[in-house]
Amino acid sequence: LSCLVDFEVTASSRHYVDRLFDLDPQKVLQGVIDMKNAVIGNNKQKANLIVLGAVPRLLYLLQQETSSTELRTECAVVLGSLAMGTENNVKSLLDCHIIPALLQGLLSPDLKFIEACLRCLRTIFISPVTPEDLLYTDATVISHLMALLSRSRYTQEYICQIFSHCCKGPDHQTILFNHGAVQNIAHLLVSTSYKVRMQALKCFSVLAFENPQVSMTLVNVSVDGELLPQIFVKMLQRDKPIEMQLTSAKCLTSMCRAGAIRTDDSCIVLKTLPCLVRMCSKERLLEERVEGAETLAYLIETDVELQRIASITDHLIVMLADYFKYPSSVSAITDIKRLDHDLKHAHELRQAAFKLYASLGANDEDIRKKPILESGAIELLCSLTQSENLALRVNGIWALMNMAFQAEQKIKSDILRGLSTEQLFQLLSDSDVNVLMKTLGLLRNLLSTRPHIDHIMSTHGKQIMQAVTLILEGEHNIEVKEQTLCILANIADGTTAKELIMTNDDILQKIKYYMSHSNAKLQLAAMFCISNLIWNEEEGSQERQDKLRDMGIVDILHKLSQSSDPNLCDK
């Protein structure tokens, strides 16, 4: 194993493997059954047995003609259990050529054995470490899997799941399509088993994605006298499970984008689009909201009428503003694991929202002004920063910081107006360092590009300089001070804004102080301020240089040029 983990190879683990080599077939069978019970839900035990070489022996027993069907089935079950462990387990199984062995097993006449092999194959193929192409190396495999679909509800569930996980891109879609996937899977949409219906639906959602050939075929397929689009519409009704609603909406979306269903068809306008907007609401789980927003963005991307309808459906724009302040209420989240997961993936929500914003405004300037500004996103985020709830304050200011990044001047001005000077000071004296850092990040983003720096400093210069002074004098950590000095460096880059620093002796003394600080990061940031102030090509540079020379800045620079820190020397 590549990862250097100290596996305690225990005596009991070795004992399980030794029993696989017993001469008595009955004892071997019992050994495999005991091993099966030992590995269920026990990742450590799984890893031990793999290290001890259980896999090649299990595969040997699985393929032996002389092994009883019961033994072969139990071997497939144990291998499936090992595959449910870590990604490293799956890699080990692949290295032992498990896939050809299991595919060979599918030729057996015994249904229970076939199902065990399929369940194991399903587990291996849904792992991200398994190359999908392993399913397509032998063309007879796909034909055989299609034939096995009729055997039982388990063969249907597992084979559909294998197909939907291994269908990546047009080549795979074409192979499956040419082997009759549409005809073979369509009738499974009305199976009595929910799992079979769901896996069949997932198959169609990946087969039809960006594929006009499949989409055009699906439109005309009927099951029990009902056309597939009608079946999909039934599956996205509110009383159906969320994953079913989402997946059928994806099928209809793909068919619409491929031109198989018109964009003004009632199944799109009255069913699919509202369903996807519902998926964006904050009642939904994070993954559902991401998938809902991304699918909706894809559905409306090229059609201005759908963009218009979406923009006025169910307060979608306000829902999207919610994507930026996630998680919305910590007190409401009782499951810490869930919260931890959601915080880690919150950026996916923001990304999905940006995609949808982009699609909403793709063809129409009026809608574009309406996603962003009329929706009150800025006001909403500014009001969040006043929340008692720390998570909301952090997320509100964070979202504003992101919104200000490379934004046009109007948005920057709106943010400053929405926040008010009082609120800005409030945030800069917040007891939480995250709020403080994000507020400084916001200031830094607002004060970027010269015309913006000069414009903002001409209207809010006095307050911003006060705020900077406040922080440089306060008891703050290195990161906070560094960020504040970077804001000063941005101000020093302005054409007229420079003067606000040059006429403020207090600030100049602080820059001088940080040039001689014990921390190199702060020295570097202070030097950026100086280099922006003395830039030669700009008007008044001589006077600024003279003033700084009189303050003794040159002496400090001489000293720093002897520094052992290469960054400081160069600067």
Side-chain angles (χ1 to χ4, degrees), residues 490-537:
N490 281 15
I491 296 169
D493 194 35
T495 310
T496 54
K498 276 183 175 39
E499 286 313 303
L500 285 159
I501 297 179
M502 290 309 299
T503 54
N504 188 327
D505 288 339
D506 189 20
I507 284 285
L508 287 173
Q509 288 300 333
K510 285 185 170 53
I511 295 173
K512 180 181 171 182
Y513 164 77
Y514 283 108
M515 283 177 76
S516 307
H517 198 274
S518 57
N519 184 285
K521 277 185 178 175
L522 295 181
Q523 287 180 285
L524 213 52
M527 282 210 289
F528 271 113
C529 299
I530 296 294
S531 72
N532 282 346
L533 290 172
I534 60 176
W535 204 244
N536 269 330
E537 277 97 86

Side-chain angles (χ1 to χ4, degrees), residues 514-570:
Y514 283 108
M515 283 177 76
S516 307
H517 198 274
S518 57
N519 184 285
K521 277 185 178 175
L522 295 181
Q523 287 180 285
L524 213 52
M527 282 210 289
F528 271 113
C529 299
I530 296 294
S531 72
N532 282 346
L533 290 172
I534 60 176
W535 204 244
N536 269 330
E537 277 97 86
E538 290 168 12
E539 203 181 322
S541 62
Q542 196 53 55
E543 291 87 331
R544 288 193 291 278
Q545 287 177 15
D546 292 343
K547 177 161 186 179
L548 292 169
R549 192 178 283 110
D550 294 344
M551 278 179 62
I553 296 291
V554 177
D555 306 335
I556 300 175
L557 288 172
H558 274 306
K559 240 187 253 161
L560 288 173
S561 63
Q562 319 292 309
S563 165
S564 56
D565 186 313
N567 286 334
L568 287 175
C569 268
D570 293 351

Side-chain angles (χ1 to χ4, degrees), residues 249-513:
K250 284 168 92 166
C251 291
L252 289 159
T253 293
S254 291
M255 290 159 78
C256 178
R257 280 300 302 266
I261 301 177
R262 290 169 52 118
T263 54
D264 59 358
D265 190 301
S266 64
C267 79
I268 297 297
V269 178
L270 301 179
K271 303 287 184 185
T272 309
L273 187 144
C275 169
L276 289 169
V277 172
R278 279 203 306 278
M279 295 302 143
C280 296
S281 81
K282 62 167 173 258
E283 281 68 55
R284 301 270 52 87
L285 295 172
L286 181 135
E287 286 83 350
E288 295 160 359
R289 295 171 78 185
V290 168
E291 215 171 323
E294 289 187 339
T295 309
L296 182 55
Y298 180 56
L299 174 65
I300 67 176
E301 192 178 16
T302 55
D303 189 273
V304 79
E305 188 50 26
L306 286 180
Q307 289 161 13
R308 199 191 59 71
I309 295 166
S311 73
I312 55 170
T313 301
D314 255 4
H315 311 296
L316 174 65
I317 309 268
V318 177
M319 274 192 235
L320 280 188
D322 229 43
Y323 275 44
F324 293 98
K325 54 170 191 187
Y326 196 84
S328 50
S329 164
V330 176
S331 57
I333 298 171
T334 45
D335 182 350
I336 289 296
K337 232 179 177 169
R338 173 98 233 153
L339 173 63
D340 182 53
H341 164 273
D342 287 359
L343 282 169
K344 283 199 183 96
H345 295 273
H347 68 281
E348 289 168 24
L349 262 187
R350 288 198 289 277
Q351 222 172 334
F354 279 128
K355 271 187 198 161
L356 188 41
Y357 271 138
S359 280
L360 279 165
N363 303 76
D364 189 320
E365 188 59 40
D366 293 341
I367 303 178
R368 198 173 356 225
K369 285 190 186 132
K370 182 172 185 290
I372 295 285
L373 300 169
E374 280 179 38
S375 71
I378 290 177
E379 292 87 331
L380 183 132
L381 295 171
C382 288
S383 67
L384 276 184
T385 66
Q386 301 179 24
S387 168
E388 290 293 307
N389 180 320
L390 173 60
L392 289 187
R393 281 206 308 285
V394 172
N395 282 292
I397 196 69
W398 198 335
L400 286 171
M401 180 181 105
N402 289 343
M403 231 176 196
F405 181 67
Q406 294 179 348
E408 55 191 67
Q409 190 169 299
K410 177 172 180 348
I411 289 181
K412 290 183 176 182
S413 300
D414 285 353
I415 291 174
L416 270 171
R417 202 173 308 115
L419 263 186
S420 81
T421 312
E422 295 72 37
Q423 183 54 14
L424 194 62
F425 275 109
Q426 201 60 47
L427 291 165
L428 288 171
S429 52
D430 198 285
S431 56
D432 184 82
V433 71
N434 284 323
V435 173
L436 179 52
M437 281 297 281
K438 297 288 178 277
T439 309
L440 291 171
L442 166 65
L443 268 179
R444 200 171 163 178
N445 286 347
L446 291 171
L447 294 164
S448 62
T449 76
R450 270 195 195 154
H452 293 184
I453 295 169
D454 290 330
H455 175 76
I456 287 172
M457 292 307 284
S458 69
T459 52
H460 293 81
K462 194 174 158 215
Q463 297 91 323
I464 288 173
M465 293 306 283
Q466 269 179 298
V468 166
T469 310
L470 192 80
I471 290 177
L472 290 178
E473 284 176 354
E475 292 289 321
H476 292 291
N477 67 27
I478 299 294
E479 282 68 30
V480 169
K481 297 268 171 109
E482 182 190 19
Q483 187 80 301
T484 310
L485 287 167
C486 289
I487 290 169
L488 266 184
N490 281 15
I491 296 169
D493 194 35
T495 310
T496 54
K498 276 183 175 39
E499 286 313 303
L500 285 159
I501 297 179
M502 290 309 299
T503 54
N504 188 327
D505 288 339
D506 189 20
I507 284 285
L508 287 173
Q509 288 300 333
K510 285 185 170 53
I511 295 173
K512 180 181 171 182
Y513 164 77

Side-chain angles (χ1 to χ4, degrees), residues 160-161 163-170 173 176 181-182 185-186 189 196-212 214-215 218 228 232 235-236 242-258 272 276 291 295 298:
C160 284
Q161 205 172 356
F163 284 161
S164 57
H165 270 276
C166 294
C167 184
K168 300 277 195 283
Q173 288 171 329
L176 291 171
V182 172
I185 295 171
L189 289 169
V196 172
R197 291 200 303 278
M198 197 55 232
Q199 293 305 336
L201 187 59
K202 282 188 174 163
C203 257
F204 283 131
S205 86
V206 294
L207 280 169
F209 182 66
E210 295 190 339
N211 192 313
V214 174
S215 296
L218 288 180
L228 281 193
F232 292 149
M235 289 173 135
L236 54 71
I242 296 299
E243 64 164 348
M244 185 173 267
Q245 291 185 45
L246 246 178
T247 314
S248 45
K250 284 168 92 166
C251 291
L252 289 159
T253 293
S254 291
M255 290 159 78
C256 178
R257 280 300 302 266
T272 309
L276 289 169
E291 215 171 323
T295 309
Y298 180 56

